[in-house]
Amino acid sequence: MKKLLVLLISLVMINSVFAQSEVKLEAGLKPDSPFYFLDKFIEQVQLAFTRDEVKKAQLYLEIASERLEELKELNEEENDEFNEDLEEEFEKDLNIAENLGNDIRELAKKKEFDNLVIQATSHHIEVLEKVLEKVPKKAKDAIKKVIERSERGHERAIEDIKKALDEEIEDKDTTKEEKEKIEEEKEKWDDIKEKVKEKSKKLVLNDKDEE
């Protein structure tokens, strides 16, 4: 058993060194697996050995995403036993990721992380749309709250990027042509925010109509 733990820790450390600059959006083992504890153990070891502020925030974002993928797969199998636990863990890990992201001071790294949050939360809403179709009526309100939570995270990340773009506009070295391009980029982010907001709103309202 000790040799197995050493091997697992070594693999985790190697994985941390070669961490990618995008969020992995996939499920691992599910809570109904007898080996699920190993999945959770590996996550904790990864967190313990990850020192870089951006990578640590990204890792929490990935863990939050994994909880939603597990939620989706279980509900596709008509297993809602773990819904509440997975929803709570998702929100907890997403909150930690965002709080760590707020502490990032380097502008380029901050923008990089905000982009990851936007990518992840957009995917979260797509996953939750599928979950909403499968869960029993008694669980729908909780899923709607998680959808709204993801939408808020998406919106905050876009607002952070727009603030960073405003700082670039205010920089005295920014040319008129560059400022025009930045304004166009801000409009693009506004469009993305409104589309996701509208989708989130429709999901919640349409489901109420069906009830």
Coordinates of all heavy atoms in Angstrom, one line a residue, residues 51-116:
R51 N 2.3 25.1 -6.2 CA 2.6 26.3 -5.6 C 2.3 27.6 -6.4 O 2.0 28.6 -5.8 CB 4.1 26.4 -5.2 CG 4.6 25.2 -4.4 CD 3.9 25.2 -3.0 NE 4.4 24.1 -2.1 CZ 3.8 23.8 -1.0 NH1 2.7 24.5 -0.6 NH2 4.2 22.8 -0.3
D52 N 2.4 27.4 -7.7 CA 2.1 28.6 -8.6 C 0.6 29.0 -8.4 O -0.3 28.2 -8.4 CB 2.3 28.2 -10.0 CG 2.1 29.3 -11.0 OD1 3.0 30.1 -11.2 OD2 0.9 29.4 -11.5
E53 N 0.4 30.3 -8.2 CA -0.9 30.8 -7.8 C -1.9 30.6 -9.0 O -3.1 30.2 -8.7 CB -0.8 32.3 -7.5 CG -0.2 33.2 -8.6 CD 0.0 34.6 -8.3 OE1 -0.4 35.0 -7.1 OE2 0.4 35.4 -9.1
V54 N -1.5 30.8 -10.2 CA -2.4 30.6 -11.3 C -2.8 29.1 -11.5 O -3.9 28.7 -11.7 CB -1.8 31.1 -12.6 CG1 -2.8 30.9 -13.8 CG2 -1.5 32.6 -12.5
K55 N -1.7 28.2 -11.4 CA -2.0 26.8 -11.6 C -2.8 26.2 -10.4 O -3.7 25.3 -10.7 CB -0.6 26.0 -11.6 CG 0.1 26.3 -12.9 CD 1.4 25.5 -12.9 CE 2.2 25.8 -14.2 NZ 3.5 25.1 -14.2
K56 N -2.7 26.8 -9.2 CA -3.5 26.3 -8.1 C -5.0 26.7 -8.3 O -5.9 25.9 -8.1 CB -3.0 26.9 -6.8 CG -3.6 26.2 -5.6 CD -2.7 26.3 -4.4 CE -3.1 25.3 -3.3 NZ -2.0 24.9 -2.4
A57 N -5.2 27.9 -8.7 CA -6.5 28.4 -9.0 C -7.1 27.6 -10.2 O -8.3 27.2 -10.1 CB -6.5 29.9 -9.4
Q58 N -6.3 27.3 -11.2 CA -6.8 26.5 -12.3 C -7.1 25.1 -11.9 O -8.1 24.5 -12.3 CB -5.7 26.4 -13.4 CG -6.0 25.5 -14.5 CD -4.9 25.3 -15.5 OE1 -4.0 26.2 -15.6 NE2 -4.9 24.3 -16.3
L59 N -6.4 24.5 -10.9 CA -6.6 23.2 -10.4 C -8.0 23.1 -9.7 O -8.7 22.2 -9.9 CB -5.5 22.7 -9.5 CG -5.5 21.3 -9.0 CD1 -5.7 20.3 -10.2 CD2 -4.2 21.0 -8.3
Y60 N -8.2 24.1 -8.9 CA -9.5 24.1 -8.2 C -10.7 24.3 -9.2 O -11.8 23.7 -9.0 CB -9.6 25.3 -7.2 CG -9.1 24.9 -5.8 CD1 -7.9 25.4 -5.4 CD2 -9.9 24.1 -5.0 CE1 -7.5 25.1 -4.1 CE2 -9.5 23.8 -3.7 CZ -8.2 24.3 -3.3 OH -7.8 24.0 -2.0
L61 N -10.4 25.0 -10.3 CA -11.4 25.1 -11.3 C -11.7 23.8 -12.0 O -12.8 23.4 -12.3 CB -10.9 26.2 -12.4 CG -11.9 26.8 -13.3 CD1 -13.1 27.5 -12.5 CD2 -11.2 27.8 -14.2
E62 N -10.6 23.0 -12.3 CA -10.7 21.7 -12.9 C -11.5 20.8 -11.9 O -12.3 20.0 -12.4 CB -9.4 21.2 -13.2 CG -8.7 21.8 -14.4 CD -7.3 21.2 -14.7 OE1 -6.9 20.4 -13.9 OE2 -6.7 21.7 -15.7
I63 N -11.2 20.8 -10.6 CA -11.9 20.0 -9.7 C -13.4 20.3 -9.6 O -14.2 19.4 -9.6 CB -11.2 20.1 -8.3 CG1 -9.8 19.5 -8.3 CG2 -12.0 19.4 -7.2 CD1 -9.0 19.8 -7.1
A64 N -13.7 21.6 -9.6 CA -15.1 22.0 -9.7 C -15.8 21.4 -10.9 O -16.9 20.9 -10.9 CB -15.2 23.5 -9.6
S65 N -15.1 21.5 -12.1 CA -15.7 21.0 -13.3 C -15.9 19.5 -13.3 O -16.9 19.0 -13.8 CB -14.7 21.4 -14.5 OG -14.6 22.8 -14.6
E66 N -14.9 18.8 -12.7 CA -15.0 17.4 -12.5 C -16.3 17.0 -11.7 O -16.9 16.0 -12.1 CB -13.8 16.8 -11.9 CG -13.7 15.3 -11.9 CD -12.4 14.7 -11.5 OE1 -11.4 15.4 -11.6 OE2 -12.4 13.6 -11.0
R67 N -16.6 17.7 -10.7 CA -17.7 17.4 -9.9 C -19.0 17.5 -10.7 O -19.9 16.7 -10.5 CB -17.8 18.4 -8.7 CG -16.7 18.3 -7.6 CD -16.7 17.0 -6.9 NE -15.9 16.0 -7.5 CZ -14.6 15.9 -7.4 NH1 -13.9 16.7 -6.6 NH2 -13.9 14.9 -8.1
L68 N -19.1 18.5 -11.6 CA -20.3 18.6 -12.4 C -20.4 17.5 -13.5 O -21.4 17.0 -13.8 CB -20.3 20.0 -13.2 CG -20.7 21.2 -12.4 CD1 -21.0 22.4 -13.3 CD2 -21.9 20.9 -11.5
E69 N -19.2 17.1 -14.0 CA -19.2 16.0 -15.0 C -19.7 14.7 -14.3 O -20.4 13.9 -14.9 CB -17.8 15.8 -15.6 CG -17.4 16.9 -16.5 CD -18.1 17.0 -17.8 OE1 -18.8 16.1 -18.1 OE2 -18.1 18.1 -18.4
E70 N -19.3 14.5 -13.0 CA -19.7 13.3 -12.3 C -21.2 13.4 -12.0 O -21.9 12.4 -12.2 CB -19.0 13.3 -10.9 CG -17.5 13.0 -11.1 CD -16.7 13.3 -9.8 OE1 -17.3 13.7 -8.8 OE2 -15.5 13.2 -9.8
L71 N -21.7 14.6 -11.7 CA -23.1 14.8 -11.5 C -23.9 14.5 -12.7 O -25.0 13.8 -12.7 CB -23.4 16.3 -11.1 CG -24.8 16.7 -10.8 CD1 -25.3 16.1 -9.5 CD2 -24.9 18.3 -10.7
K72 N -23.4 14.9 -13.9 CA -24.1 14.7 -15.2 C -24.1 13.2 -15.5 O -25.2 12.6 -15.8 CB -23.4 15.4 -16.3 CG -24.1 15.2 -17.7 CD -23.2 15.7 -18.8 CE -22.1 14.8 -19.1 NZ -21.5 14.9 -20.4
E73 N -23.0 12.5 -15.3 CA -22.9 11.1 -15.7 C -23.8 10.2 -14.7 O -24.5 9.3 -15.2 CB -21.5 10.6 -15.6 CG -20.7 11.1 -16.7 CD -19.3 10.5 -16.9 OE1 -19.0 9.5 -16.2 OE2 -18.5 11.0 -17.6
L74 N -23.8 10.6 -13.4 CA -24.7 9.8 -12.5 C -26.1 10.0 -12.8 O -26.9 9.0 -12.8 CB -24.4 10.3 -11.1 CG -23.1 9.8 -10.4 CD1 -22.8 10.5 -9.1 CD2 -23.1 8.2 -10.2
N75 N -26.5 11.2 -13.2 CA -28.0 11.4 -13.5 C -28.4 10.8 -14.8 O -29.5 10.5 -15.0 CB -28.3 12.9 -13.4 CG -28.4 13.4 -12.0 OD1 -29.5 13.3 -11.4 ND2 -27.4 13.9 -11.4
E76 N -27.4 10.7 -15.7 CA -27.7 10.0 -16.9 C -28.0 8.5 -16.6 O -28.7 7.8 -17.4 CB -26.6 10.1 -17.9 CG -26.5 11.5 -18.6 CD -25.2 11.6 -19.4 OE1 -24.3 10.8 -19.3 OE2 -25.2 12.6 -20.2
E77 N -27.4 8.0 -15.5 CA -27.7 6.6 -15.1 C -28.9 6.6 -14.1 O -29.1 5.6 -13.4 CB -26.4 6.1 -14.4 CG -25.2 6.0 -15.4 CD -23.9 5.8 -14.6 OE1 -23.9 5.6 -13.4 OE2 -22.9 5.8 -15.3
E78 N -29.6 7.7 -14.0 CA -30.7 7.8 -13.0 C -30.3 7.6 -11.6 O -31.1 7.0 -10.8 CB -31.8 6.9 -13.5 CG -32.4 7.2 -14.9 CD -33.6 6.4 -15.2 OE1 -33.9 5.4 -14.5 OE2 -34.2 6.6 -16.3
N79 N -29.1 8.1 -11.3 CA -28.6 8.0 -9.9 C -28.5 9.4 -9.3 O -27.5 10.1 -9.7 CB -27.3 7.2 -9.9 CG -26.7 7.1 -8.4 OD1 -27.2 7.6 -7.5 ND2 -25.6 6.3 -8.3
D80 N -29.4 9.8 -8.5 CA -29.3 11.1 -7.9 C -28.9 11.1 -6.4 O -29.1 12.1 -5.7 CB -30.7 11.9 -8.1 CG -31.8 11.2 -7.3 OD1 -31.6 10.1 -6.8 OD2 -32.9 11.8 -7.2
E81 N -28.3 10.0 -6.0 CA -28.0 9.9 -4.6 C -26.9 10.9 -4.1 O -26.9 11.3 -3.0 CB -27.4 8.4 -4.4 CG -27.0 8.1 -2.9 CD -26.4 6.8 -2.8 OE1 -26.4 6.0 -3.8 OE2 -25.8 6.5 -1.7
F82 N -26.0 11.3 -5.0 CA -24.9 12.1 -4.6 C -25.1 13.6 -5.1 O -24.1 14.4 -5.0 CB -23.6 11.5 -5.2 CG -23.3 10.1 -4.8 CD1 -23.7 9.1 -5.7 CD2 -22.7 9.8 -3.6 CE1 -23.5 7.8 -5.3 CE2 -22.5 8.5 -3.3 CZ -22.8 7.5 -4.1
N83 N -26.3 13.9 -5.6 CA -26.5 15.3 -6.2 C -26.1 16.4 -5.2 O -25.3 17.3 -5.5 CB -27.9 15.4 -6.6 CG -28.2 14.8 -7.9 OD1 -27.5 14.0 -8.4 ND2 -29.4 15.1 -8.5
E84 N -26.6 16.3 -4.0 CA -26.4 17.4 -3.0 C -24.9 17.6 -2.7 O -24.4 18.7 -2.7 CB -27.2 17.1 -1.8 CG -27.2 18.3 -0.8 CD -28.1 18.1 0.4 OE1 -29.0 17.3 0.3 OE2 -27.9 18.8 1.4
D85 N -24.2 16.5 -2.4 CA -22.8 16.5 -2.1 C -22.0 17.1 -3.3 O -21.1 18.0 -3.1 CB -22.3 15.1 -1.8 CG -22.8 14.6 -0.4 OD1 -23.3 15.5 0.4 OD2 -22.7 13.4 -0.2
L86 N -22.3 16.7 -4.5 CA -21.5 17.1 -5.6 C -21.8 18.6 -5.9 O -20.9 19.4 -6.3 CB -21.9 16.3 -6.9 CG -21.4 14.8 -6.8 CD1 -21.9 14.1 -8.0 CD2 -19.8 14.8 -6.9
E87 N -23.0 19.0 -5.7 CA -23.4 20.5 -5.9 C -22.6 21.3 -4.9 O -22.1 22.4 -5.3 CB -24.9 20.7 -5.8 CG -25.7 20.1 -6.9 CD -27.1 19.8 -6.6 OE1 -27.6 20.3 -5.5 OE2 -27.8 19.1 -7.3
E88 N -22.6 20.9 -3.7 CA -21.9 21.6 -2.6 C -20.4 21.7 -2.9 O -19.8 22.8 -2.7 CB -22.2 21.0 -1.2 CG -23.6 21.3 -0.7 CD -23.8 20.6 0.6 OE1 -22.9 19.9 1.1 OE2 -25.0 20.7 1.1
E89 N -19.8 20.6 -3.3 CA -18.4 20.5 -3.6 C -18.0 21.4 -4.8 O -17.0 22.1 -4.8 CB -17.9 19.1 -3.8 CG -17.9 18.3 -2.6 CD -17.3 16.9 -2.8 OE1 -16.3 16.8 -3.6 OE2 -17.8 15.9 -2.2
F90 N -18.9 21.4 -5.8 CA -18.7 22.2 -7.0 C -18.6 23.7 -6.6 O -17.7 24.4 -6.9 CB -19.8 22.0 -8.0 CG -19.9 23.1 -9.0 CD1 -19.0 23.2 -10.0 CD2 -20.9 24.1 -8.9 CE1 -19.0 24.2 -11.0 CE2 -21.0 25.1 -9.9 CZ -20.0 25.2 -10.9
E91 N -19.6 24.2 -5.8 CA -19.7 25.6 -5.4 C -18.5 25.9 -4.5 O -17.9 27.0 -4.7 CB -21.0 25.9 -4.7 CG -22.2 25.8 -5.6 CD -23.4 26.6 -5.1 OE1 -23.2 27.7 -4.7 OE2 -24.5 26.0 -5.1
K92 N -18.1 25.1 -3.6 CA -17.0 25.3 -2.7 C -15.7 25.5 -3.5 O -14.9 26.5 -3.3 CB -16.8 24.2 -1.7 CG -15.6 24.2 -0.9 CD -15.5 23.1 0.1 CE -15.2 21.8 -0.6 NZ -13.8 21.5 -1.0
D93 N -15.4 24.6 -4.5 CA -14.2 24.6 -5.2 C -14.2 25.8 -6.2 O -13.1 26.4 -6.4 CB -14.0 23.3 -6.0 CG -13.7 22.1 -5.0 OD1 -13.0 22.4 -4.0 OD2 -14.1 21.0 -5.3
L94 N -15.4 26.1 -6.8 CA -15.4 27.3 -7.7 C -15.2 28.6 -6.9 O -14.4 29.5 -7.4 CB -16.8 27.3 -8.4 CG -17.0 28.5 -9.4 CD1 -15.9 28.4 -10.5 CD2 -18.4 28.4 -10.0
N95 N -15.7 28.7 -5.7 CA -15.4 29.8 -4.8 C -14.0 30.0 -4.5 O -13.4 31.1 -4.6 CB -16.2 29.7 -3.5 CG -17.7 30.0 -3.7 OD1 -18.1 30.7 -4.6 ND2 -18.5 29.5 -2.8
I96 N -13.3 28.9 -4.2 CA -11.9 28.9 -3.9 C -11.1 29.3 -5.1 O -10.2 30.2 -5.0 CB -11.4 27.5 -3.3 CG1 -12.0 27.2 -2.0 CG2 -9.9 27.5 -3.2 CD1 -11.8 25.8 -1.5
A97 N -11.4 28.8 -6.2 CA -10.7 29.1 -7.5 C -10.9 30.6 -7.8 O -9.9 31.3 -8.1 CB -11.3 28.3 -8.7
E98 N -12.1 31.2 -7.6 CA -12.3 32.6 -7.9 C -11.5 33.5 -6.9 O -11.0 34.5 -7.2 CB -13.8 32.9 -7.9 CG -14.5 32.3 -9.1 CD -16.0 32.6 -9.0 OE1 -16.5 32.9 -7.9 OE2 -16.6 32.5 -10.1
N99 N -11.5 33.0 -5.6 CA -10.8 33.8 -4.6 C -9.3 33.8 -4.8 O -8.7 34.9 -4.7 CB -11.1 33.3 -3.2 CG -12.5 33.5 -2.7 OD1 -13.2 34.5 -3.2 ND2 -13.1 32.7 -1.9
L100 N -8.8 32.7 -5.2 CA -7.4 32.6 -5.6 C -7.1 33.5 -6.8 O -6.1 34.2 -6.9 CB -6.9 31.2 -5.9 CG -6.8 30.2 -4.7 CD1 -6.6 28.8 -5.1 CD2 -5.7 30.7 -3.7
G101 N -8.0 33.4 -7.8 CA -7.9 34.3 -9.0 C -7.9 35.8 -8.7 O -7.1 36.5 -9.3
N102 N -8.7 36.2 -7.7 CA -8.7 37.6 -7.3 C -7.4 38.0 -6.7 O -7.1 39.2 -6.7 CB -9.8 37.8 -6.3 CG -11.2 37.7 -6.9 OD1 -11.4 37.8 -8.1 ND2 -12.2 37.3 -6.1
D103 N -6.6 37.1 -6.2 CA -5.3 37.5 -5.6 C -4.2 37.6 -6.6 O -3.1 37.9 -6.2 CB -4.9 36.4 -4.5 CG -5.9 36.5 -3.3 OD1 -6.5 37.6 -3.1 OD2 -6.0 35.5 -2.6
I104 N -4.4 37.2 -7.8 CA -3.4 37.2 -8.8 C -3.1 38.7 -9.2 O -4.0 39.4 -9.6 CB -3.8 36.4 -10.1 CG1 -4.0 35.0 -9.7 CG2 -2.7 36.6 -11.2 CD1 -4.6 34.1 -10.9
R105 N -1.9 39.1 -9.0 CA -1.6 40.6 -9.2 C -1.0 40.8 -10.6 O -1.3 41.9 -11.2 CB -0.5 41.0 -8.2 CG -1.1 41.0 -6.8 CD -2.1 42.1 -6.6 NE -2.8 42.0 -5.3 CZ -4.1 41.7 -5.2 NH1 -4.8 41.4 -6.3 NH2 -4.7 41.6 -4.0
E106 N -0.3 39.9 -11.2 CA 0.3 40.1 -12.5 C -0.9 40.1 -13.6 O -1.6 39.2 -13.7 CB 1.3 39.0 -12.9 CG 2.1 39.3 -14.1 CD 3.1 38.2 -14.4 OE1 3.7 37.7 -13.4 OE2 3.3 37.9 -15.6
L107 N -0.9 41.2 -14.3 CA -2.1 41.5 -15.2 C -2.2 40.4 -16.3 O -3.3 39.9 -16.5 CB -1.9 42.8 -15.9 CG -3.1 43.3 -16.8 CD1 -4.3 43.4 -16.0 CD2 -2.7 44.6 -17.5
A108 N -1.1 39.9 -16.9 CA -1.2 38.9 -17.9 C -1.7 37.6 -17.4 O -2.6 36.9 -18.0 CB 0.2 38.7 -18.6
K109 N -1.3 37.2 -16.2 CA -1.7 36.0 -15.5 C -3.2 36.1 -15.1 O -3.9 35.1 -15.2 CB -0.8 35.7 -14.3 CG 0.6 35.2 -14.6 CD 1.3 34.7 -13.4 CE 2.7 34.2 -13.7 NZ 3.4 33.7 -12.5
K110 N -3.6 37.3 -14.6 CA -4.9 37.5 -14.2 C -5.9 37.3 -15.4 O -6.9 36.7 -15.3 CB -5.1 38.9 -13.6 CG -6.5 39.3 -13.3 CD -7.1 38.5 -12.2 CE -8.5 39.0 -11.8 NZ -9.2 38.1 -11.0
K111 N -5.5 37.9 -16.6 CA -6.3 37.8 -17.8 C -6.4 36.3 -18.2 O -7.4 35.8 -18.7 CB -5.8 38.7 -18.9 CG -6.1 40.1 -18.7 CD -5.5 41.0 -19.8 CE -6.2 40.8 -21.1 NZ -5.6 41.7 -22.2
E112 N -5.3 35.6 -18.1 CA -5.2 34.2 -18.5 C -6.2 33.4 -17.6 O -6.9 32.6 -18.2 CB -3.8 33.7 -18.3 CG -3.6 32.2 -18.6 CD -2.3 31.7 -18.1 OE1 -1.3 32.4 -17.9 OE2 -2.2 30.4 -18.0
F113 N -6.2 33.7 -16.3 CA -7.1 32.9 -15.5 C -8.5 33.3 -15.7 O -9.4 32.4 -15.7 CB -6.7 33.1 -14.0 CG -7.7 32.4 -13.1 CD1 -7.6 31.0 -13.0 CD2 -8.6 33.1 -12.3 CE1 -8.4 30.3 -12.1 CE2 -9.5 32.4 -11.5 CZ -9.4 31.0 -11.4
D114 N -8.8 34.5 -15.9 CA -10.2 34.9 -16.2 C -10.7 34.3 -17.5 O -11.9 33.9 -17.5 CB -10.3 36.5 -16.3 CG -10.2 37.2 -15.0 OD1 -10.6 36.6 -14.0 OD2 -9.7 38.3 -15.0
N115 N -9.9 34.1 -18.4 CA -10.3 33.4 -19.7 C -10.6 31.9 -19.4 O -11.5 31.4 -19.9 CB -9.2 33.5 -20.7 CG -9.3 34.7 -21.6 OD1 -10.2 34.8 -22.4 ND2 -8.4 35.7 -21.4
L116 N -9.8 31.3 -18.5 CA -10.1 30.0 -18.1 C -11.5 29.8 -17.4 O -12.2 28.9 -17.6 CB -9.0 29.4 -17.1 CG -7.6 29.2 -17.8 CD1 -6.6 28.8 -16.7 CD2 -7.7 28.2 -18.9

